[in-house]
Amino acid sequence: MSSSAEPANLMEAVVSLAKRRGFVFQSSEIYGGLNGFFDYGPLGVELKKNIRDCWWNDMVRRRDDVVGVETSIIMHPKVWQASGHVDGFTDPLVDCKASKNRYRADQLFFSPVVVDGNVVGYVSALESERTTEELQAAAEQFKRKKAIQGTLAPVQPRDMTEAKPEEIPQIPSPATGEPGSLTPPRAFNMMFETYVGALRDASSVSYLRPETAQGMFVDFKNVVDTGRVKLPFGIAQTGKSFRNEITPRNFIFRSREFEQMEMEFFIHEDDDWAKWHRYWIDWCKDWLLSIGLPASHLSEYDHLKEKLAFYSKGTTDIMFKFPFGVQELWGIAARGNYDLGQHEKASGVPQAIFDEATKKKFIPHVIEPAVGLDRIFLAVLTAGYAEEQVTDEKGNTETRTVLRLSPRIAPVKVAVLPLLKNKEALTTRAKELYKKLQRRYAVFYDEAGAIGRRYRRQDEIGTPWCVTIDFDTIEKDGTFTLRERDSMQQKRITEAELFALLDEQVY
Ligand code: GAP
């Protein structure tokens, strides 16, 4: 028997499990860590690789119209001038001169405190699920502290990008609680700069890429000339991107070094971009379901037309219900022919292709599904984590922690457990099966401790199946006990059936 409940602080529980079981560590931890950087441990690296491999197989290998590339992280600096990143890849930054803290202006909220229709002061709060409640509580406290009589109006939250110049000196810093130290927002470029070669001057400045996408645009002609591709077709890659985020936060959700999985899908200029845009939104959602994310956690957000870049035809984000709120997981943008057009202008190399039907040359348009691998990693951990009260046949109740990961991405697919450690016939057969499975799958051999405890260890890391080698295996019919993680049901299974099950579920 079991009953499942989300822990009071799901995010804390997931971060703790990630550290405890070797999924994710803080980077450079023994030196106090480096904010916005993370390491993936033995189980984390497997989970991440499995998500990446699933994406690559489904996006590239199993499609006839998408090919892959791997482009360099440091590219010619002119790439980033042409793409607009050198001038425009900025977030609005607010400094607190008193505490030296820095805030993203669109994540720092404030409100006037209005009593009987008069503004009597200002309150501020950092963006969270409860920003409005926090501002209201701060306004009530402000009124009480200053002993102001009258009726307090509900707060009207705005972020610092919307503050009028005369309001800024009156807004308190979240660090000190006092007004007067916040600066007006200014544009902060998020590109990491470096130098290429032995000279360290303006001529050798280069950048760590802030997105993988430009690699596909810059290699577009190479792929067309060598790849036997025909419109519509896509170019995909996975790889590291770097952004000097002002406020990295929520664990691996927003970090300064992260991995992206992006695909540029090129279409004819006369093709129906909205149809392809919709196609890729649906494809991405279906793919997220195929790696086990629950449909209940997914939604769509269409960017407001007036906030889009001038060349953009439309952007839809697939949103995910994280423990800290509903946030962007995957952006699907219709970017017209802006990127190839920019590179044609800046490099002088024509990017147009010839259309046999119309005998015309044109620059293809693009639909771009772009997702962060680390974000999907966090989504599967937070959606899959559960603490269950389980009662055994003797009536004893205990809490089991279980990670409900899809067999497609689980870091360990099967744990092989001999019933007893000190019975050589059992361990020999178990090791034989373990070695055989290991040729194709990530498997784990465990002979230490009571069988129930061994199951729990596997539940916590998301292993979908445990097979136990017992006396029936060696003395009777050769079958094993297969124990399923989510239902905890057990049944007898032959070796051939076990391989068939894995073949069907792990792809
Ligand atoms: N080429 C388009 C592009 O890069 P983006 O919305 O800036 O678009 C795409 O990034 C995806 O990359 C996001 O939806 C998110 O999943 C992921 N991502 C962006 N910034 C990130 C960060 N600082 N940390 C982790 N993932 C990030």
Side-chain angles (χ1 to χ4, degrees), residues 211 243 245 253 255 258 260 262 328-329 368 372 375:
E211 60 171 26
R243 298 182 187 180
E245 297 280 355
F253 176 81
S255 52
F258 55 98
Q260 287 187 306
E262 296 195 280
E328 172 188 342
L329 181 59
E368 175 190 77
R375 244 176 230 194

Side-chain angles (χ1 to χ4, degrees), residues 356-368:
E356 286 292 344
T358 58
K359 307 287 180 213
K360 257 177 51 189
K361 280 192 153 188
F362 68 94
I363 297 180
H365 287 222
V366 76
I367 311 289
E368 175 190 77

Side-chain angles (χ1 to χ4, degrees), residues 436-482:
K436 203 163 170 186
L437 284 164
Q438 212 177 32
R439 289 164 63 182
R440 279 200 237 161
Y441 303 104
V443 276
F444 192 81
Y445 177 83
D446 189 4
E447 56 181 29
I451 198 79
R453 287 246 297 285
R454 283 184 266 168
Y455 285 155
R456 293 285 178 275
R457 287 202 286 264
Q458 295 304 317
D459 290 343
E460 213 185 33
I461 63 166
T463 307
W465 300 286
C466 292
V467 284
T468 304
I469 284 68
D470 53 25
F471 290 103
D472 280 1
T473 316
I474 48 173
E475 288 166 5
K476 278 195 186 160
D477 52 8
T479 60
F480 326 111
T481 302
L482 180 88

Side-chain angles (χ1 to χ4, degrees), residues 52-167:
R52 188 193 302 111
D53 287 350
C54 281
W55 184 90
W56 188 262
N57 286 336
D58 293 337
M59 179 62 95
V60 182
R61 290 201 177 151
R62 294 177 182 140
R63 295 188 66 101
D64 297 329
D65 56 357
V66 178
V67 293
V69 290
E70 184 180 309
T71 69
S72 63
I73 286 175
I74 296 179
M75 302 168 79
H76 198 294
K78 283 187 180 164
V79 169
W80 304 110
Q81 277 149 17
S83 67
H85 284 83
V86 171
D87 291 330
F89 194 56
T90 57
D91 267 345
L93 169 78
V94 166
D95 281 298
C96 166
K97 287 180 284 184
S99 66
K100 306 282 178 258
N101 279 5
R102 298 187 134 184
Y103 303 100
R104 237 174 83 172
D106 57 351
Q107 292 173 352
L108 174 47
F109 282 77
F110 71 96
S111 171
V113 181
V114 180
V115 177
D116 288 345
N118 300 315
V119 176
V120 295
Y122 283 82
V123 286
S124 65
L126 291 173
E127 183 187 36
S128 73
E129 276 289 88
R130 304 187 60 255
T131 310
T132 306
E133 289 96 312
E134 281 175 25
L135 286 172
Q136 192 63 44
E140 275 157 25
Q141 201 190 8
F142 180 94
K143 178 174 174 273
R144 236 187 350 265
K145 228 166 117 188
K146 304 257 174 194
I148 302 169
Q149 301 299 315
T151 310
L152 179 69
V155 289
Q156 294 153 7
R158 279 180 283 150
D159 73 49
M160 284 295 283
T161 62
E162 302 164 300
K164 296 185 191 121
E166 63 274 18
E167 287 180 310

Side-chain angles (χ1 to χ4, degrees), residues 85 89 210-214 217 241 243 245 248 252-262 264 317-318 328-331 333 335 368 370-376:
H85 284 83
F89 194 56
E211 60 171 26
T212 56
Q214 294 305 319
F217 293 125
S241 291
R243 298 182 187 180
E245 297 280 355
I252 54 175
F253 176 81
R254 177 171 290 116
S255 52
R256 290 180 166 137
E257 173 179 337
F258 55 98
E259 191 164 335
Q260 287 187 306
M261 307 194 293
E262 296 195 280
E264 308 301 328
D317 290 338
I318 297 175
E328 172 188 342
L329 181 59
W330 202 329
R335 298 178 59 86
E368 175 190 77
V371 69
L373 173 50
D374 314 74
R375 244 176 230 194
I376 296 182

